[in-house]
Amino acid sequence: MSSEIKNIPPVAIEKPKFKVWNGARAIAEAVKVADVDVISAYPIRPYTGIMNALASMIANGEFIADVVIADSEHSQFEIVKHASAVGARTFVGSSGVGLAYAAEAIIVTALSQLPVVGAIGTRALDDPGNFGMEWSDVLMFRDYGWLISWAKTVQEAHDMTLVAYRVAEDKRVLLPHFVVLDGAALTHVATPIVPVTKEQATDFLPPYKPPYRIDPIDGPVTKAQHIAPSLIGPEQRKLVDVATKRAKEVIVEAWKDFATYTGREYPPFIEAIGMEDADFALIGMGAYMKDIEIVAKRMREKGVKIGTIRLRYVRPFPAEDLLRVIDGVKAAGVIEFGYSFGSPFGTGSLYHEIATSLYETNTRPELLDFLFLGGREPKVEHFMKAAEMIIESVHKKPQKKAYWLTLRGEDI
Amino acid sequence: MIMQSEFKSLREIPPIDYYTAGRRTCAGCGPAIGYRLISKAAGPNTIFIGPTGCMYVANAHQFLTSPYSVPWHHTQLGGGGAAAIGIASALRTLMLKGKRKPEDINVIVMGGDGAMADIGLSGLSMGLSYDYQRLLYIVYDNEGYMNTGVQASSTTPWGATTTFTPSGKVKPLGNTRYKKNVALIAASHPNVKYVATATLWPPLDLMNKVVRALNSGGPSVIHALFPCPKGWFTSPADTVMLSKLAVETGMWVLWELIEGQFKLNYRPNPRKHVREYLSLQGRFRHLKDEDIDKMDKMIEEEWFYWNESAKQEKLILPY
Ligand SMILES: Cc1ncc(C[n+]2csc(CCOP(=O)(O)OP(=O)(O)O)c2C)c(N)n1
Ligand code: SF4
C-alpha cells in the first residue's frame, strides 16, 4: 500500500488553520475530504448531527455524494454494504438501539469483507429511552470482524475517520471500521481543531478498488453465497481472523503516514502518559480520558507514581502494547462504561479484555474495575476515588473486583 | 447499451441463459423457471440481488457452484429493498463522479413473498420512494416461507395448509388470513413508474413486463405468482399449468399500472371455477365444498373491481 503513496510533502507544514467544530461536524468534514460516494442516514441521538452536517454540505454542493435516507438502520447498513460491493466509498453510522436494530446487516458486512466506515456516537441501549452514554452498543459488535477505534478528542475523531478508510480499504485488511465518539462528550462538544486538507486527504488515501466488484464490467461474480459448514465454514471465518490480525501492521503504517502528511503524530494503539516509572495505572478509552489524565497529573504532583493508559483501538485489541506499558505496575483500575450482566465477578466488558491480556504476565497487577453505567455522568471526583482505591488495594486486599461509582445507594 | 425491446413472439427469445445449470431447486420449481425467463428478458447488463430464501439457498449454494452468469449478491432476508438502493446509488454516484463508465445497468431483486411482503416490506417501500432507474423488485410469490419448510406468510391464500397453519380437529380451515396484495401496496407509491402482476403463463407476458419495468424510468415492481411443488403439494409436471389455471379461474389477476394508468392484461371468459385450480393442490385437499364455494364467490366479488378498474383505466381498490 505504501508504494502507492505519492507527493510526500516537505516537513515544513503550513501554519495550521483552526476551525471550531463539534465531534459530529468534525467527522462529517473528514467524510467530505475522503471523497465518500454513498452515505446512508437514519436519525438517532447522539450520532445524528454527523448526518445533518453531511446532508447540508451536499445540499450546498460542497462535495458530491448520494445520501440515501433509509427506512431503518437495518436498511441503512444494507445500503452501504451493497454500495461498497459495487466499489463506492461509503459512510454510515448510528447509536444505541439503532445499532441493535441493524445487527444482522452489521455482522454480515464484516464477513463479506466490505470496508464500510461507520461512526458511532455511544449511547445506552434503551431501558426505555435512556439518552445517557454507555459503551454497550459498540461492544455488542466486538466479536464480528469490525475494526473499532475510539477517539479522545474532536481532533482525533476527525483524523481517525481518514485513517479508518485507509486501513479498512487496504487489500491486506478489507474489513469494515467503526470510529467511536463518546455520546455528547464528543459528538456535541465543540473545540478548535486543525482539519485535514483536501490535498492531504487525497494523497493519504488512495482510491478504493475492491478486488471483486459486483458490476457487469468485471463479469459474473457471485458473492455471499450459502455457506456449507462442512466445506468452507471454518476457512471463511479464518479469512476474517487473518484480516483482523493483519490490520495491526496496517494501522501502525497508516498512522505513521498520517503524521507525514499532516504533522500530527499519534501512538497507533495505546496512549500511555506517565507510565515509565508508574506503580499505578488508570486504564480507559474515549473522551473521559481527558479528565482521568488530569486526575493522574494532580496525584503525580502529590508524589504518587501514577499513569494513564488509553486504548485507541478495541478491535484489533492491542494486548502486546498493553503488556509493554503496564509492565511493573502494582495496581491498575479500569474505567469503563460497558457491562455484561452476570459476568465473572460482576466486571465490565473492557475489564475482561484487559484481564485476559494480563493473564499472560508473571507479575499481574491488582486489577479493579470502575463501572459507570446507566448513562449518569461521572465527575472528576469519581476518577479521583478510583485512583485512591487502586493505591489502597496494594496495602489491603479489596473485597470486590468491581465498583459502581455513580450508583446511589448500596453497591452490593 | 441498446435497451432491450419487447419480445413479439417466443422465437425472438434469446437462446442464451443467464440463470444456468448449477442449481438444486426442486423439480418443477416455479421460481426457478421464472428466474430463467426474467434473466433472459433483462439481458447481460444486469445485477441480481437475492434475499435469503429458496432462490438464494437452492441456487448460490453450498457446493460452491453458482447458476448466475451475471453478477449476483446475497442480501439478508429483509434487505432486498435496501440492497438494490445501495447498488443503484453506488452505480449512479460513481458514474456521476466519473469513477465508472456511464452505462445502463439493471438492478433486479429476486425476493420471495416472505422477504418482500413480510420482513422486507418496509425496505421495499423505501426503495419505491426513490428515483433510481432500471431498478426492479420481483416479488416471487410461492405463497409461503418455502425454504424453511413451508410456513405461512402474509401472501399464503385463505384456506391453505402450511406447517404453521395445519388443518386440525379444532381448526380445520388451515390459514385463516387473506392473501396480501403486494402489487396494490406498491401501486400506492407516488414515485413508482411501473407495477405489474405476472405468473409463468403466458411466458411472453412475464418477459415483456420485465422489459417494460426496466425501461420505465424509475423503480418498479412485478408481483409474480410462481407455483412451488414442494409447498403446494403439486406434481412438478403441473407448475406451468397451475400458473395458467390461476389466471383462468380468476384467482390470479394479470394487470399492470404504467405511470398510474391501469391495464387489465387478461379477462377469463368464461371464468373457470376455482375448484379446477384448487383440486390439483394438496394444500387445499382438506377444504369442504362450502369453503371452495366461498372462495369462488370472493373471486367473483373481487372481479367487479378489476373490471371497473379496466373500464376507468385507473386502480380502484377491491377491498
Ligand atoms: C432474519 C431472518 N429470519 C429468518 C430466517 C430464516 N429463513 C431462511 S429462508 C426463509 C424463507 C424465506 O421465505 P420467502 O422469502 O417466501 O422465500 P422462499 O423460501 O419461499 O423462496 C426464512 C424465514 C432468516 N434467514 N433470516
Ligand atoms: S421449495 Fe418450492 S420454491 Fe423452493 S426450490 Fe422447491 S419448488 Fe422451488
Side-chain angles (χ1 to χ4, degrees), chain A residues 87-150:
Chain A
R89 183 170 284 159
T90 58
F91 179 74
V92 68
S94 196
S95 293
V97 288
L99 291 159
Y101 198 84
E104 182 194 37
I106 292 175
I107 290 162
V108 293
T109 303
L111 297 178
S112 292
Q113 296 211 251
L114 294 166
V116 165
V117 170
I120 298 181
T122 57
R123 172 173 172 173
L125 291 165
D126 283 12
D127 357 58
N130 193 333
F131 282 123
M133 202 284 276
E134 263 190 7
W135 292 347
S136 310
D137 55 351
V138 185
L139 294 177
M140 194 161 53
F141 296 100
R142 192 186 58 173
D143 300 339
Y144 306 106
W146 280 69
L147 308 178
I148 305 173
S149 65
W150 223 290

Side-chain angles (χ1 to χ4, degrees), chain B residues 36-88:
Chain B
R36 191 171 166 218
L37 297 178
I38 289 163
S39 57
K40 263 178 187 294
N45 249 20
T46 303
I47 298 171
F48 274 105
I49 296 162
T52 318
C54 276
M55 289 303 102
Y56 163 53
V57 180
N59 282 329
H61 63 68
Q62 52 177 340
F63 302 114
L64 305 179
T65 61
S66 164
Y68 313 106
S69 67
V70 288
W72 179 95
H73 203 305
H74 169 248
T75 181
Q76 297 313 112
L77 185 53
I85 291 296
I87 289 188

